[in-house]
Amino acid sequence: MAALWFLSALFLAVSLCSLYLTGASVALLLLLPLLLLLLVPVMWSRRRRGRGRSSRRSVCVLVMGDLGRSPRMLYHTLSLARHGFSVTAVGYPGAKPHKDVLNNDKIKIVYLTEVKTATTFGPKIFQYGVKIVVQTLQICYVLLKIDPPSYMLLQNPPGLPAIAVVWAVCLLRGSKFIIDWHNYGYTIMGLTHGDHHLIVLIAKWYEHFFGKLSDSNLCVTEAMREDLNTNWNIKAITLYDTPSPIFKETPLELQHKLFKKLATDFAPFRTRIESVPSNLEQTAFTELNVNTGDVSYVQGRPALLMSSTSWTEDEDFSILLKALEEYEGLITAGMKLPSLVCAITGKGPLKEFYNRVIEKMHFKYVDICTPWLEAEDYPLLLGSGDLGVCLHKSSSGLDLPMKVVDMFGCRLPVCALHFKCLPELVKHEENGLIFKNARELTEQLKLLFTDFHNERNKLGIFKRNLKEAKMVQWDENWDDIVLPLLPVND
């Protein structure tokens, strides 16, 4: 207890110094953990009085982002419910979660209200500080309103201010605190502000200090586990992302239904044939014989190139667009390659920017569309693809792209942009290829789509390797690694 009071005094001194040296905006950010620490003595005494009150079979899963676009945390939620835990999933509204989550009686979803402060005056760091304070109050209100859980599981990033707030609430409610480290938040902020920006330095210190106060930690790669241990003195367990059972190869009949649905809004999925026989129902890829009910691929169909993104700074889609321009040039020059339909799914801040860039591009043999898919349709489209492309470059170099995991679940080979720990997932020349620039990606597209309809080509070999590989499923992996962290005293 004396140590906690000492930390409170230390933060007070730091905040006062920052107020004097850099103004109220920085002090506002630093005073947040101070206020939380000043509450600790009260929380500690209440925890001692309230021990045993929390529900021994309940867990709160918290995401400070779009809950429906947080697949790993939703997989946690489903696994917890499968083992009899009552789960409260807290996050922001947006994409609709999968029906397996929505229809599970043991899962309750509590949505946060998006914080949009009216503060427009002062420096941006001050505006950000105001948002942090509002979010702190919001998280406290929601977490104190729900029934006391035995565990709180937080996704990081984003973790500012959630890490400190959840830790404090866990003290108050007698809950165990678990952080699932997907990346470092400060490295993502560094993409926008630069590594040495004051707000980035504050975020780094914040994650480092409060991250060590959790009871248990999970992370997504061995490289991150080693980094947390070496540089942050945080002991974590690696829980690799593995594909959910919903990610699998899509039967041809379902492919046709999906392509018909997408053709309503996206021209690249519509048939290229002007006069279709009356007994056929056609898309760009498939055709249904309405007399027999048989579905087959259209002769000479295009290849379906899949990519998925949150349209943020850590994915440079100019690399893919440049490679597609060069691929178009190869066909124009006479090389025998299939035409391409490139479907890039997802939502995010840079989507409109890239849509404007795509509109100005003129292709004859390449079509690009950027659909946003329902949760049930996304795995079906991945399972219908011929090749995936991943442009995730990782702000820290320590996380792995979930989209590639999903693609592998669908037995979809991948061309992925190189970064530090990518070989933990993508095995070059085994389940895909790794590239460093647009030129290398172009060469890989040429290699994989040469002799496209021959299943013995390079692309076919990668697909067979994925089919023959023994993939550990999420449920099995979760039961071995996470469930032992959740002992329950009935």
Side-chain angles (χ1 to χ4, degrees):
M1 185 61 65
L4 292 171
W5 282 111
F6 171 76
L7 286 173
S8 299
L10 176 62
F11 275 107
L12 178 59
V14 172
S15 299
L16 290 174
C17 288
S18 115
L19 178 63
Y20 174 74
L21 293 173
T22 59
S25 56
V26 179
L28 184 61
L29 286 174
L30 291 174
L31 278 168
L32 174 61
L34 166 65
L35 294 173
L36 289 169
L37 284 167
L38 288 172
L39 289 172
V40 164
V42 177
M43 294 176 176
W44 186 263
S45 63
R46 288 189 64 176
R47 179 186 180 184
R48 289 172 64 93
R49 292 196 303 269
R51 276 179 178 167
R53 295 178 187 172
S54 66
S55 174
R56 294 294 93 192
R57 299 289 297 176
S58 66
V59 179
C60 174
V61 176
L62 175 62
V63 179
M64 293 302 293
D66 186 337
L67 187 62
R69 294 167 62 195
S70 305
R72 179 176 167 104
M73 302 310 287
L74 292 179
Y75 295 164
H76 278 304
T77 300
L78 288 168
S79 294
L80 288 162
R82 180 168 55 87
H83 282 279
F85 288 90
S86 296
V87 187
T88 302
V90 181
Y92 290 106
K96 185 175 71 171
H98 194 274
K99 61 183 180 182
D100 290 349
V101 176
L102 297 176
N103 297 336
N104 194 306
D105 293 337
K106 288 190 170 294
I107 299 172
K108 176 184 178 182
I109 294 177
V110 177
Y111 284 121
L112 299 168
T113 302
E114 188 74 37
V115 175
K116 295 181 180 179
T117 62
T119 304
T120 57
F121 62 90
K124 286 190 175 181
I125 194 170
F126 175 76
Q127 298 175 29
Y128 187 71
V130 172
K131 182 178 180 180
I132 291 295
V133 171
V134 174
Q135 283 184 323
T136 298
L137 297 174
Q138 181 187 44
I139 299 169
C140 282
Y141 173 77
V142 170
L143 296 186
L144 292 173
K145 185 178 179 181
I146 64 175
D147 292 335
S150 46
Y151 298 92
M152 291 194 185
L153 174 60
L154 172 69
Q155 171 185 305
N156 181 63
L160 180 63
I163 297 177
V165 177
V166 174
W167 166 71
V169 172
C170 283
L171 280 179
L172 174 63
R173 311 208 80 177
S175 306
K176 293 292 185 180
F177 181 24
I178 304 172
I179 300 178
D180 191 358
W181 297 83
H182 296 193
N183 201 347
Y184 297 144
Y186 78 89
T187 64
I188 296 175
M189 296 172 71
L191 295 175
T192 302
H193 302 290
D195 293 341
H196 302 293
H197 192 282
L198 179 59
I199 198 169
V200 176
L201 296 176
I202 291 173
K204 181 178 181 180
W205 168 86
Y206 176 92
E207 278 185 289
H208 188 186
F209 179 85
F210 283 100
K212 292 189 291 188
L213 301 179
S214 58
D215 295 293
S216 301
N217 295 274
L218 301 168
C219 63
V220 295
T221 64
E222 279 295 297
M224 178 169 283
R225 182 191 64 79
E226 293 172 4
D227 190 79
L228 283 166
N229 183 36
T230 302
N231 298 319
W232 295 39
N233 197 30
I234 293 175
K235 308 295 183 184
I237 301 173
T238 303
L239 175 69
Y240 281 117
D241 286 319
T242 54
S244 164
I246 65 174
F247 289 95
K248 55 190 175 183
E249 291 181 279
T250 303
L252 197 55
E253 292 76 12
L254 286 181
Q255 289 187 34
H256 181 75
K257 291 180 180 179
L258 177 64
F259 294 148
K260 283 290 292 183
K261 178 179 179 180
L262 293 174
T264 303
D265 297 314
F266 302 100
F269 290 93
R270 297 170 193 159
T271 181
R272 267 74 165 162
I273 301 174
E274 292 184 4
S275 180
V276 179
S278 59
N279 67 320
L280 294 180
E281 179 183 84
Q282 240 179 32
T283 70
F285 303 91
T286 55
E287 61 184 17
L288 167 68
N289 187 315
V290 296
N291 294 331
T292 65
D294 295 333
V295 178
S296 59
Y297 284 119
V298 171
Q299 187 174 5
R301 72 172 179 89
L304 179 54
L305 187 66
M306 288 296 310
S307 191
S308 176
T309 179
S310 53
W311 298 107
T312 53
E313 291 86 352
D314 63 350
E315 291 181 294
D316 183 2
F317 267 82
S318 67
I319 296 174
L320 175 59
L321 298 181
K322 177 64 175 175
L324 292 177
E325 280 187 317
E326 294 177 356
Y327 183 89
E328 169 99 358
L330 294 174
I331 300 178
T332 303
M335 187 168 289
K336 292 185 178 180
L337 294 168
S339 59
L340 286 184
V341 172
C342 179
I344 308 170
T345 69
K347 286 182 180 179
L350 295 179
K351 183 172 183 176
E352 289 306 313
F353 167 78
Y354 278 109
N355 275 337
R356 289 192 295 270
V357 172
I358 292 168
E359 287 172 2
K360 295 177 183 178
M361 303 179 77
H362 301 287
F363 292 111
K364 182 179 180 181
Y365 302 104
V366 175
D367 287 294
I368 305 173
C369 60
T370 57
W372 170 247
L373 300 175
E374 297 175 4
E376 289 77 18
D377 287 341
Y378 175 61
L380 293 178
L381 187 57
L382 282 190
S384 306
D386 296 299
L387 178 67
V389 172
C390 175
L391 294 159
H392 178 85
K393 60 185 176 183
S394 179
S395 59
S396 65
L398 300 173
D399 68 313
L400 290 173
M402 185 74 182
K403 70 197 75 178
V404 173
V405 175
D406 296 338
M407 290 174 181
F408 284 168
C410 294
R411 293 352 186 224
L412 183 65
V414 173
C415 293
L417 181 64
H418 176 268
F419 63 90
K420 180 180 176 181
C421 67
L422 183 64
E424 290 190 37
L425 177 61
V426 180
K427 311 300 182 184
H428 189 68
E429 292 283 355
E430 182 179 325
N431 54 20
L433 298 171
I434 297 174
F435 62 89
K436 294 182 179 178
N437 50 51
R439 180 184 58 80
E440 290 187 1
L441 177 57
T442 303
E443 288 299 313
Q444 291 175 6
L445 294 178
K446 181 177 73 170
L447 171 68
L448 296 176
F449 287 134
T450 295
D451 203 10
F452 172 54
H453 298 288
N454 184 351
E455 294 184 355
R456 295 183 179 181
N457 70 356
K458 194 76 168 180
L459 184 62
I461 292 172
F462 289 165
K463 287 186 176 181
R464 285 196 296 276
N465 290 344
L466 285 167
K467 290 178 181 179
E468 294 169 3
K470 184 182 182 303
M471 289 191 183
V472 179
Q473 294 298 308
W474 171 268
D475 288 344
E476 177 187 348
N477 203 31
W478 194 93
D479 290 355
D480 289 342
I481 293 172
V482 182
L483 189 59
L485 300 177
L486 309 171
V488 176
N489 298 320
D490 293 317

